[in-house]
Every structure is written in C-alpha cells, then in structure tokens.
Amino acid sequence: EVKLLESGGGLVQPGGSLRLSCEASGFIFSDHAMRWVRQAPGKGLEWVSGINGAGGSAYYAGSVQGRFTVSRDNSKGTLYLQMNSLRADDTAIYFCARVLTVGTFKTLDYWGQGTLVTVAS
Amino acid sequence: DIQMTQSPSSLAASAGDRVTITCRASQNIKTYLNWYQQKPGKVPKILIYGASNLHGGVPSRFSGSGSETDFTLTISSLQPEDFATYYCQQSYGVPYTFGQGTKLEIK
C-alpha cells in the first residue's frame, strides 16, 4: 500500500524557516518524481515544487523560487522541503504527492494527508 | 506561467443532473490536462489525466475532453458523493499550475 506521511509543519514567525519531510512507503521511491502542493485555508490548490526521481532536477513556483529548496534522500525514501524567509502568505497545508507517468502524461496519483504551516507573529 | 481558468467558480445541481465544468489555459497545452476532485477535509483525488483518460477506479460517469486551450469535465449523472470541488491542472510546463477550482453544491 502506497503511503505518504508529511511532518515538520508548525507555527513560525515571519522571516523564519521550517523543513518539511514526507516519508514514502509501499513503492520504489526512486522510480517516481515527487511534488509539493499547498492549500491556504479555504483556498485552492497551488503547485509549489517538484523534483525528479534521481533528485537531480528541481522546479519551483515563482512565489517560492529562491526561498524554498526541494530535495530527496532515496536511501531513506524521504522527500524534503526547506522553507526559508517565510511570509504570512506561505500559511497553508502542504501536501506531498507522487507523480504517476503514463506515456508523456504526468499526474499526481497519491497524496499525503498534509502538514499545516502557519506563519504569524 | 500558464494560467488556468475554470468556470463556473461554483455550481448548484441536483442528483441525476448532467454537469459540465470548463477549464481554459492561457496557452496551448495540447492535452496535458488533469482533473482532480477534492471533498472537504480530504486530499485531492485524480479523476482524469491527459484530458480524456479516466484514472483507474474512477466511475465511468466522469469524462473529459478538449485540447489546446479549452477543456471540459462532464459528470453524466450526478451522484450524492460527487458534490465536491473540482480542479484542473496543466502538466505541460513548469510550474504545473492549477485552476482556481469549481465547487459543486447540492441544489
């Protein structure tokens, strides 16, 4: 059974940092690209970041570029999101999600339950 | 960035109705379009990928169509469990942006 479990969320002051983790199990972790998606309270989904299976290529939304860094440790089956210079508008539930590739199409087939990040003084 | 615009933002319908949700991309994304369903307090669930391909286990009353910039998600006969928020997402180019969502409510 595929499982994704996020951790590391919490309350942080503006300008602070947090590191989110996503522990994966039930599949060969290195075979799949992974994504971070966030959802502000009562709002829609926002794609945040992605990383390929080997960890050599990473991508970011413009709103987090230069502040967030995605990485992965395939030996531990864990995805990370280092978040620096946090702002109030980064407040959201952060989901990690597995990428399913079918031919040239990519979609998100498994999602974790999310971890809440609150940026406030 | 590619902008994804859904319409309507909300929709009230009754069980048994046929419902169509539209998603428009700001540029040609071929058929690199996914649809997700999210129920309150739950994580999103993939329904359709590649604009028209039903993900495994998704009921056949869901269907998708479209290409380039205009896409639709159709539910042929609404069931009580279909009342949720629906999101489109393009997977053509980074960042893989989502639409703002369409909330489907009970009339």
Side-chain angles (χ1 to χ4, degrees):
Chain A
E1 180 188 6
V2 172
K3 289 186 179 179
L4 299 171
L5 181 63
E6 302 94 339
S7 61
L11 175 63
V12 61
Q13 292 187 336
S17 298
L18 275 179
R19 188 196 199 200
L20 306 184
S21 300
C22 170
E23 293 184 36
S25 61
F27 64 100
I28 301 174
F29 186 61
S30 58
D31 281 355
H32 291 266
M34 298 292 293
R35 308 288 187 241
W36 288 99
V37 175
R38 69 185 180 184
Q39 188 167 36
K43 302 297 184 182
L45 302 173
E46 181 185 8
W47 188 92
V48 173
S49 180
I51 188 167
N52 69 343
S57 296
Y59 313 95
Y60 302 93
S63 57
V64 307
Q65 181 83 45
R67 301 187 298 123
F68 289 12
T69 303
V70 62
S71 61
R72 62 192 297 160
D73 185 335
N74 286 343
S75 69
K76 295 182 178 179
T78 303
L79 173 73
Y80 302 101
L81 186 67
Q82 177 67 44
M83 305 186 297
N84 298 330
S85 302
L86 283 161
R87 312 184 303 221
D89 62 359
D90 294 317
T91 295
I93 297 172
Y94 285 73
F95 299 101
C96 65
R98 188 182 85 162
V99 174
L100 172 67
T101 301
V102 181
T104 59
F105 299 121
K106 297 184 187 300
T107 189
L108 304 176
D109 66 340
Y110 284 94
W111 298 60
Q113 289 301 307
T115 186
L116 177 62
V117 172
T118 303
V119 184
S121 54
Chain B
D1 296 1
I2 300 172
Q3 306 302 315
M4 306 300 293
T5 304
Q6 291 181 232
S7 60
S9 296
S10 63
L11 172 62
S14 302
D17 286 353
R18 179 183 180 90
V19 167
T20 297
I21 297 169
T22 297
C23 178
R24 176 162 288 175
S26 61
Q27 66 182 72
N28 183 352
I29 60 168
K30 301 184 180 180
T31 56
Y32 291 93
L33 193 283
N34 302 316
W35 288 100
Y36 300 88
Q37 176 195 65
Q38 187 180 30
K39 296 180 181 179
K42 302 294 186 182
V43 302
K45 170 188 168 184
I46 178 65
L47 297 174
I48 288 170
Y49 66 92
S52 61
N53 300 284
L54 208 62
H55 187 62
V58 175
S60 59
R61 62 181 180 273
F62 291 94
S63 64
S65 65
S67 64
E68 298 189 357
T69 61
D70 293 302
F71 303 87
T72 58
L73 172 69
T74 299
I75 309 172
S76 60
S77 179
L78 272 173
Q79 299 300 302
E81 60 267 30
D82 299 337
F83 291 96
T85 300
Y86 293 84
Y87 295 93
C88 62
Q89 182 211 19
Q90 61 84 14
S91 59
Y92 180 77
V94 174
Y96 298 128
T97 41
F98 289 89
Q100 81 278 16
T102 295
K103 187 174 183 179
L104 180 53
E105 299 175 300
I106 300 172
K107 183 184 287 185

